[in-house]
Amino acid sequence: MVIELMKSHASVRNYKEQQLTREQVSELIEAAQHAATSHFVQAYSIVWVTDEDKRKRLGELSKNPKQMEGAGAVFLMCADYNRLGHAVKMQGEEIVFDQAENVLVAVTDVGLLAQNLVLAAESKGYGICYIGGVRNNMEEISELVGLPKGVFPVYGLTVGVPNESNEVKPRLPVEAILHENEYDETKYAELLPAYDETVTQYYAGRTSNQKMATWSEQMAAFLKKPHRPDLKEVLAKRGYLFK
């Protein structure tokens, strides 16, 4: 059942030495393409990195060497207005994509595409992991795989035959994210401490990498400082000016 599959998701970072075939990859990508897309622009591309040297370098640049070198398939999920530029030129027009709206459209399109790919992969028994670390060195990674202006990597995605089984992390309760008619922040005073306790019990009881930490402690440590402050400048070089 699809809902049970979705609720069973856990990231996989350790894969068996078994590469996906071209036919297997094509099947997953074709399924992923049926995700919703804003105004039918399909503002995305996927770079399937098969070259061993490129995968090794990608692992170094993203600070995820084990996954990039050990996965059954490594994908760079990219926002892409370059292809749209070619389509528009066929009609004798010039594309405009330097606005903030276009960034939101492309990133949303990539997210929907990626999640469809994930569901397709997990339905086949594969494990997956998103790699946000590709944004650590976006400019170098773009050069590594020859991304033209108008294209940038949003995240990596590793897929493969799992060599591990991880427990599902408990998500926030539905009540914490579902608001009816109006946004209600008063409920957080009760819901968040209870969720902290749930997360603490999960970390203490899981089969590997046990630790003592609450969700709010992790968020405080993560969000008290800026991350990847160069991204706006790098995206500007790619043609995204946030006008």
Side-chain angles (χ1 to χ4, degrees), residues 5-176:
L5 175 66
M6 295 166 70
K7 291 168 66 175
S8 69
H9 167 74
S11 295
V12 174
R13 296 176 174 83
N14 186 10
Y15 303 99
K16 294 183 179 179
E17 295 183 3
Q18 181 177 328
Q19 296 299 299
L20 273 67
T21 67
R22 188 165 300 275
E23 290 74 19
Q24 290 167 330
V25 167
S26 294
E27 181 183 29
L28 297 180
I29 301 304
E30 184 177 2
Q33 285 182 267
H34 287 274
T37 171
S38 177
H39 210 72
F40 203 38
V41 295
Q42 303 171 82
Y44 46 63
S45 279
I46 301 173
V47 179
W48 178 21
V49 184
T50 59
D51 181 86
E52 290 186 10
D53 291 336
K54 287 183 182 293
R55 279 175 64 151
K56 183 176 181 179
R57 182 60 178 150
L58 183 58
E60 294 169 351
L61 291 170
S62 66
K63 298 179 173 61
N64 279 275
K66 180 179 179 181
Q67 286 202 69
M68 293 303 191
E69 295 181 44
V74 174
F75 303 117
L76 281 177
M77 311 300 293
C78 301
D80 184 358
Y81 273 91
N82 179 274
R83 180 175 56 251
L84 288 157
H86 285 276
V88 169
K89 283 183 179 179
M90 290 170 59
Q91 303 302 319
E93 301 288 349
E94 291 293 327
I95 192 173
V96 176
F97 69 90
D98 58 4
Q99 298 175 316
E101 168 67 5
N102 297 99
V103 178
L104 288 176
V105 165
V107 170
T108 300
D109 267 16
V110 173
L112 294 172
L113 174 79
Q115 191 59 20
N116 252 23
L117 199 164
V118 165
L119 286 172
E122 291 184 332
S123 76
K124 293 286 188 178
Y126 298 119
I128 73 94
C129 190
Y130 286 93
I131 309 294
V134 302
R135 298 192 300 278
N136 291 330
N137 290 288
M138 184 184 288
E139 193 164 11
E140 292 90 339
I141 288 174
S142 297
E143 293 174 358
L144 178 69
V145 297
L147 299 184
K149 188 174 182 179
V151 186
F152 68 90
V154 182
Y155 30 72
L157 186 64
T158 58
V159 180
V161 178
N163 200 29
E164 64 182 3
S165 179
N166 298 322
E167 294 93 344
V168 177
K169 282 184 179 179
R171 266 45 175 186
L172 284 158
V174 171
E175 295 81 6

Side-chain angles (χ1 to χ4, degrees), residues 171-192 194-195 198 215:
R171 266 45 175 186
L172 284 158
V174 171
E175 295 81 6
I177 66 168
L178 178 62
H179 305 265
E180 187 169 354
N181 296 320
E182 294 185 2
Y183 191 98
D184 177 18
E185 61 182 309
T186 62
K187 56 187 176 182
Y188 297 151
E190 178 181 351
L191 292 174
L192 294 187
Y195 181 59
T198 299
W215 179 75

